[in-house]
């Protein structure tokens, strides 16, 4: 079983829509979590860290549910520039574990 | 502040040749990671340095891969001899503390032909 699992998508949404991604993790001892964004043929770029209390950064809200072992990312008022692959990442024992990514296409 | 830089950005080599990838982490970041993404798969861990010490190299595929971080600054990853299945994008990342957010370099796209 993979450490981190995500729906690969693609999620095709119109501009202005709200879209939510979830990912699940298998190791309950995982210590920290992040969402990264990766554009085609580019490096992953940190979007935000994820906390149990939930955290918000502008149009983006991330949430960690340790009891159910899932992480979510909510994007409000989607922009064309939000089109990318979103990577769910967990950290455990010296390693970051990456999900395979969820592809988002925001259409005009 | 300079980010994580990797060199070269692309490398095309023949099977059996040697290639050395370089990573310069963000200054002051003790933690340095190497990751790899092969076609169609998720990004996978190769190894982790804290300063010059290897903390975890459990992700290194085999003994054709050798990573070093002499002096605890930049790191190199050598593949010798390269095989076709080594093709992929090799990412380096650094973080200030273990488990803290990591910043990635732009990656080295390695193609073995």
């Amino acid at each position: 079983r993979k450490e981190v699992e995500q729906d690969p998508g693609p999620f095709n949404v119109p501009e202005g829509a709200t879209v939510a991604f979830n990912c699940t993790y298998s190791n309950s001892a995982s210590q920290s979590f992040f969402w990264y964004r990766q554009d085609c043929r580019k490096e992953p770029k940190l979007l935000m860290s994820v906390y149990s209390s939930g955290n918000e950064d502008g149009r983006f809200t991330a949430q960690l549910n340790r009891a159910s072992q899932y992480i979510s990312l909510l994007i409000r008022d989607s922009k064309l520039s939000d089109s990318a692959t979103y990577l769910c990442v967990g950290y455990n024992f010296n390693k970051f574990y990456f999900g395979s990514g969820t592809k988002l296409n925001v259409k005009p | 502040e300079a980010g994580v830089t990797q060199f070269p950005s692309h490398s095309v080599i023949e099977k059996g040749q040697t290639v050395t990838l370089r990573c310069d982490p963000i200054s002051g970041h003790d933690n340095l990671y190497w990751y790899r993404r092969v076609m169609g798969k998720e990004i996978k861990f190769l190894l982790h340095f804290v300063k010059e010490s290897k903390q975890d190299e459990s992700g290194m595929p085999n003994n054709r891969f050798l990573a070093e971080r002499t002096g605890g600054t930049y790191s190199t990853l050598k593949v010798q001899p390269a095989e076709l299945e080594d093709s992929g994008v090799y990412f380096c990342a650094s973080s200030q503390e273990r488990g803290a957010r990591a910043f990635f370099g732009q990656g080295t796209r390695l193609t073995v032909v």
Side-chain angles (χ1 to χ4, degrees), chain A residues 13-86:
Chain A
V13 303
E15 266 188 295
T18 295
V19 61
F21 308 136
N22 290 328
C23 90
T24 57
Y25 62 95
S26 59
N27 192 333
S28 59
S30 294
Q31 297 146 321
S32 47
F33 300 91
F34 309 89
W35 282 102
Y36 279 77
R37 168 199 169 123
Q38 186 171 27
D39 293 283
C40 189
R41 300 178 82 85
K42 299 280 190 179
E43 76 273 20
K45 290 192 174 172
L46 180 69
L47 186 63
M48 56 201 305
S49 304
V50 188
Y51 306 113
S52 298
S53 53
N55 48 307
E56 189 173 310
D57 183 1
R59 298 181 293 107
F60 299 83
T61 301
Q63 188 80 49
L64 164 63
N65 184 319
R66 284 200 179 271
S68 303
Q69 294 185 205
Y70 80 79
I71 302 126
S72 64
L73 176 67
L74 183 77
I75 305 175
R76 288 180 297 278
D77 188 24
S78 300
K79 311 290 184 194
L80 295 177
S81 58
D82 294 334
S83 297
T85 296
Y86 290 81

Side-chain angles (χ1 to χ4, degrees), chain B residues 3 8 10 23 25 31 33 42 44-45 47-48 50 54 56 60 67 69-70 76 79 85-86 94-96:
Chain B
H10 292 83
C23 168
N31 293 274
Y33 305 85
E42 66 270 19
K44 285 203 169 171
F45 171 83
L47 88 161
H48 171 212
V50 175
K54 290 177 189 174
D56 187 336
M60 296 285 261
R69 193 183 181 196
T70 308
T76 57
V79 185
E85 66 264 25
D86 300 333
S94 72
S95 67
Q96 201 155 29

